[in-house]
Amino acid sequence: MAEADGFREFVRGRSAALSRHAYLLTGDHHLGEDLLQSALASTYRHWRRVRDSDPEAYVRRAMYHQHVSWWRRRRVPEQLTGGHREVAQADPADATALRLTMAQALSRLSPKQRAVIVLRFYDDLTEAQAAQLLGCRVGTVKRHAHDALRRLRDIAPELLHETERSTR
Amino acid sequence: MTEGLRQELRRTADSAPVYPVYERAMATARRTRRRTAAAWAAVAAVLAVAVPVATRPAVIPVAAGQAPSLPDRIGLPAYGSLDVDDRPRLGAAAVSFIGDSRRLGLLSGESELGGLVGAYEERYRTIDVGIASRRAPLLSPDGRFAADEGGLVDLSTGRSTPLALTPLAWSPDGRQIVGSTLGTAPGSVDLVIKEVAGGEFRTLATAGEAGFSVAFSADGDRLAYLADGRVHVLDSAGRELVAFTAPSGYRLAGKGAWTPDGSALALVASAAWAPRWFDPGTGQPVAGPELPAVSGGVVAAGLLGWRPDGSALLYLRREAGQAGQVLALSPRAGAPAQVTAVDPAITDVDLAARAISSGGTRAGDPPFLIGPAVWWWLAGIVLALGALVAGVRWKRRAGQRRG
């Protein structure tokens, strides 16, 4: 199909990165899969328009918006403790324990806070870039980031302590 | 602190597998595209139906040169037939009728509704005639108005206005209507005439409870009425020209009781069709048109008018279970010819004078059992059920959230 030119290659090339985003946003492999599927379906419908610009940014934006929309509609239980089908290999035991703590902490954040955390500290976007991608003001991103970090500090001080110590 | 957060996020993200969603995403996209196309098609279909109906002019103009005609078959309106004030408007009717059928009175089976058939095409409408009405709504000569005890309905606008009389006859020009009202004396009935456009009643005569039968001459200059066994002929100003005693048990033959040239007036006995003709100028019996005899059991008959070929149109109601007929009685013809077959459940029929005088007939096509209004009812039921299901699901979800 002419209108799908390049779409399969795009999905093949970017699936890994997009899957990681979907997982971070949802905290659940099934939900992550559904979220990525839905975002890719939306991208495919507009592929002719987005293929020449930045399709990956479109997919990510679709995932963020879709995720917030799902949360509003369904209030899906958010847990970053879903059964991992592919467990990271050769992780040290303390790192696994730390990751579970991190996952639990992230699950306490609202979808918007989590989206900002992922954009700012996983994608390393500036506040302005994150605001543009989320379609909100910079001040909103700042507020969500501030609230998210404060909440993480409150609910998982040991996590922050561990991460601070581990990065020194 | 944020550097540690970054590292931890990456470690968490790295544990995610690559989700194999390409095929499912394609299928979802195609399904969504199909649904969107179907939704747009449904919107287009609804608009295609709704816009012409909503923008149709309230008054239906009659095409110049178009002549009304009579259907060769009259059936019952469908369950859920459009009513006389529904769009699209009927404009004008060729036929009105009442009957004993659930289709004309869901509760009693007797007429609560009358039926109308369009003047130019096979469009059926129902019209409220009140419980157990015995007369079909009286059609104006051009078929645009239908009058009964409930009032006067303009079929081109659907609007109804009160009449305050029991209509008996329209003047041939359609400007006046003659009817009866309760008289001032106990047990008396007044014969009154009224301008359709408005104005006061003018009382023409007073009679006993048996009431009147009335017929205008074709030129509208004379009005004959029968009351208390006597026939009276009035001029257009209401002055009595002549009066004579009718044979016992006889009445005027119908709204077409005058011959087209005004030379004879037909009187018939109840429940039979054997007219006797009288000179309306003298009251003396005369030899009227030599119309063929009607055979078979007749419950009621009405001479409704005359066609250009000189034939008289007669509505016959046969005995129970037999179909009624509109017959053309041509002078010197050997036998009547059927113009219209009438459903056995129909008990009275009126024809618009213009549909008779045009001499035209068309193939009758009575509606199927279910009419358009039923689809609206069904759509309403489906919407209500949909809302109910959505409400129950929403409530269940709300309960789950609280749980």
Side-chain angles (χ1 to χ4, degrees), chain B residues 54-130:
Chain B
T55 57
R56 196 178 291 262
V59 177
I60 310 256
V62 173
Q66 195 178 6
S69 56
L70 296 175
D72 66 7
R73 194 157 58 99
I74 304 172
L76 296 168
Y79 287 111
S81 176
L82 293 180
D83 200 36
V84 70
D85 55 359
D86 286 331
R87 291 170 187 266
R89 311 285 191 220
L90 192 57
V95 179
S96 73
F97 60 86
I98 58 167
D100 292 336
S101 165
R102 295 279 173 205
R103 296 204 208 177
L104 292 169
L106 275 176
L107 297 179
S108 67
E110 296 179 321
S111 269
E112 294 158 10
L113 299 172
L116 297 168
V117 188
Y120 307 98
E121 54 189 344
E122 287 295 280
R123 290 197 289 157
Y124 276 63
R125 294 287 186 280
T126 53
I127 180 172
D128 193 351
V129 294

Side-chain angles (χ1 to χ4, degrees), chain B residues 6-396:
Chain B
R6 282 188 169 89
Q7 288 179 10
E8 190 52 36
L9 282 170
R10 286 193 190 100
R11 270 202 291 268
T12 305
D14 287 344
S15 72
V18 178
Y19 299 141
V21 295
Y22 176 77
E23 295 300 334
R24 282 165 50 201
M26 295 289 279
T28 303
R30 287 174 186 141
R31 191 167 55 241
T32 306
R33 194 173 276 175
R34 279 198 301 273
R35 284 178 183 167
T36 305
W40 278 113
V43 168
V46 167
L47 288 177
V49 172
V51 169
V53 169
T55 57
R56 196 178 291 262
V59 177
I60 310 256
V62 173
Q66 195 178 6
S69 56
L70 296 175
D72 66 7
R73 194 157 58 99
I74 304 172
L76 296 168
Y79 287 111
S81 176
L82 293 180
D83 200 36
V84 70
D85 55 359
D86 286 331
R87 291 170 187 266
R89 311 285 191 220
L90 192 57
V95 179
S96 73
F97 60 86
I98 58 167
D100 292 336
S101 165
R102 295 279 173 205
R103 296 204 208 177
L104 292 169
L106 275 176
L107 297 179
S108 67
E110 296 179 321
S111 269
E112 294 158 10
L113 299 172
L116 297 168
V117 188
Y120 307 98
E121 54 189 344
E122 287 295 280
R123 290 197 289 157
Y124 276 63
R125 294 287 186 280
T126 53
I127 180 172
D128 193 351
V129 294
I131 293 173
S133 179
R134 291 185 299 135
R135 294 282 306 269
L138 202 61
L139 292 175
S140 63
D142 61 0
R144 184 182 156 185
F145 294 93
D148 72 356
E149 293 175 28
L152 185 71
V153 181
D154 184 341
L155 307 185
S156 64
T157 64
R159 278 194 287 272
S160 179
T161 51
L163 263 184
L165 55 77
T166 300
L168 298 173
W170 286 84
S171 63
D173 61 7
R175 291 181 177 174
Q176 294 175 309
I177 191 163
V178 172
S180 61
T181 60
L182 285 179
T184 48
S188 70
V189 181
D190 287 346
L191 184 69
V192 296
I193 188 164
K194 180 180 190 289
E195 294 287 330
V196 173
E200 296 296 312
F201 293 117
R202 184 155 57 91
T203 302
L204 299 174
T206 299
E209 281 180 334
F212 304 89
S213 59
V214 180
F216 272 98
S217 63
D219 57 11
D221 288 342
R222 287 178 289 177
L223 170 71
Y225 71 89
L226 184 146
D228 299 329
R230 282 179 67 77
V231 176
H232 304 260
V233 179
L234 310 181
D235 66 9
S236 55
R239 289 187 295 266
E240 185 166 292
L241 301 175
V242 69
F244 58 93
T245 302
S248 177
Y250 274 64
R251 58 177 173 79
L252 291 174
K255 68 178 185 181
W258 293 77
T259 53
D261 61 3
S263 64
L265 196 56
L267 273 66
V268 293
S270 297
W273 174 249
R276 292 172 65 175
W277 299 92
F278 293 84
D279 182 337
T282 64
Q284 296 301 309
V286 292
E290 295 176 21
L291 301 180
V294 173
S295 59
V298 175
V299 174
L303 183 54
L304 298 179
W306 298 77
R307 298 211 288 189
D309 63 1
S311 60
L313 284 196
L314 181 72
Y315 164 64
L316 285 183
R317 184 183 164 203
R318 302 283 190 178
E319 289 168 348
Q322 295 183 35
Q325 287 175 301
V326 175
L327 296 177
L329 310 179
S330 299
R332 293 175 296 282
Q338 177 173 292
V339 176
T340 301
V342 180
D343 188 281
I346 289 173
T347 55
D348 191 35
V349 166
D350 188 36
L351 305 178
R354 211 172 140 219
I356 296 173
S357 61
S358 74
T361 57
R362 61 175 190 256
D365 185 20
F368 179 62
L369 189 67
I370 295 174
V374 166
W375 303 118
W376 289 111
W377 299 341
L378 286 177
I381 291 169
V382 167
L383 279 177
L385 284 176
L388 190 68
V389 169
V392 168
R393 290 177 66 176
W394 179 83
K395 206 170 178 181
R396 196 175 291 162

